[in-house]
Amino acid sequence: MDKIFLHGMKAETLIGVYDWERQHLQPLILDLDIGLPKRENASDDIATTIHYGEVCQTIREKLAQCQFQLLESLAEFIANLVLERFQAAFIRVRITKPGILPNVQAVGIEIERGTI
């Protein structure tokens, strides 16, 4: 299965269980592995693949407009967005929320959806 990946993508959204967490946009680091739709022939045409620039732009725009309590909900939202909007075969979403707990570098979640 062919895939593209975006690792270390920075995005911001309102997220957290506590009110103080949702007072300001919080930085997140996203790692995405996206399964490409099956192609009959190799092509140099961007229309035959998933444009990773559009994926980044779409996710950042949507996250700036949304808020979540749980990383789990956010990961599910991103997975569904990419699967539906870009007709991806599968997606692996890893979200890191840096610096939210004392003496913990980062917390996060990883989910996989679709047929890997």
Side-chain angles (χ1 to χ4, degrees):
M1 176 65 62
D2 297 344
K3 65 181 177 179
I4 60 170
F5 64 88
L6 296 107
H7 291 176
M9 180 181 140
K10 295 180 177 148
E12 293 184 332
T13 195
L14 292 174
I15 187 163
V17 174
Y18 302 105
D19 290 337
W20 61 265
E21 289 182 286
R22 291 190 311 275
Q23 291 179 359
H24 304 287
L25 294 173
Q26 292 190 47
L28 302 169
I29 300 169
L30 309 177
D31 296 321
L32 308 175
D33 295 314
I34 303 168
L36 296 174
K38 188 171 181 157
R39 300 186 307 168
E40 295 300 320
N41 298 313
S43 169
D44 202 27
D45 182 0
I46 191 71
T48 65
T49 190
I50 295 175
H51 190 307
Y52 50 80
E54 290 181 7
V55 173
C56 285
Q57 180 179 346
T58 299
I59 290 172
R60 285 185 178 129
E61 286 174 358
K62 291 290 185 184
L63 294 188
Q65 301 168 5
C66 297
Q67 61 179 304
F68 304 89
Q69 288 192 356
L70 302 176
L71 288 175
E72 291 86 337
S73 300
L74 173 58
E76 203 65 54
F77 175 83
I78 292 171
N80 289 331
L81 177 65
V82 173
L83 289 170
E84 292 171 11
R85 170 127 352 141
F86 298 97
Q87 290 80 46
F90 70 86
I91 186 164
R92 179 177 296 124
V93 178
R94 184 172 195 245
I95 303 173
T96 304
K97 189 176 178 183
I100 196 67
L101 291 176
N103 300 314
V104 176
Q105 185 176 7
V107 300
I109 185 167
E110 183 173 312
I111 66 169
E112 298 176 2
R113 298 293 182 264
T115 306
I116 297 179

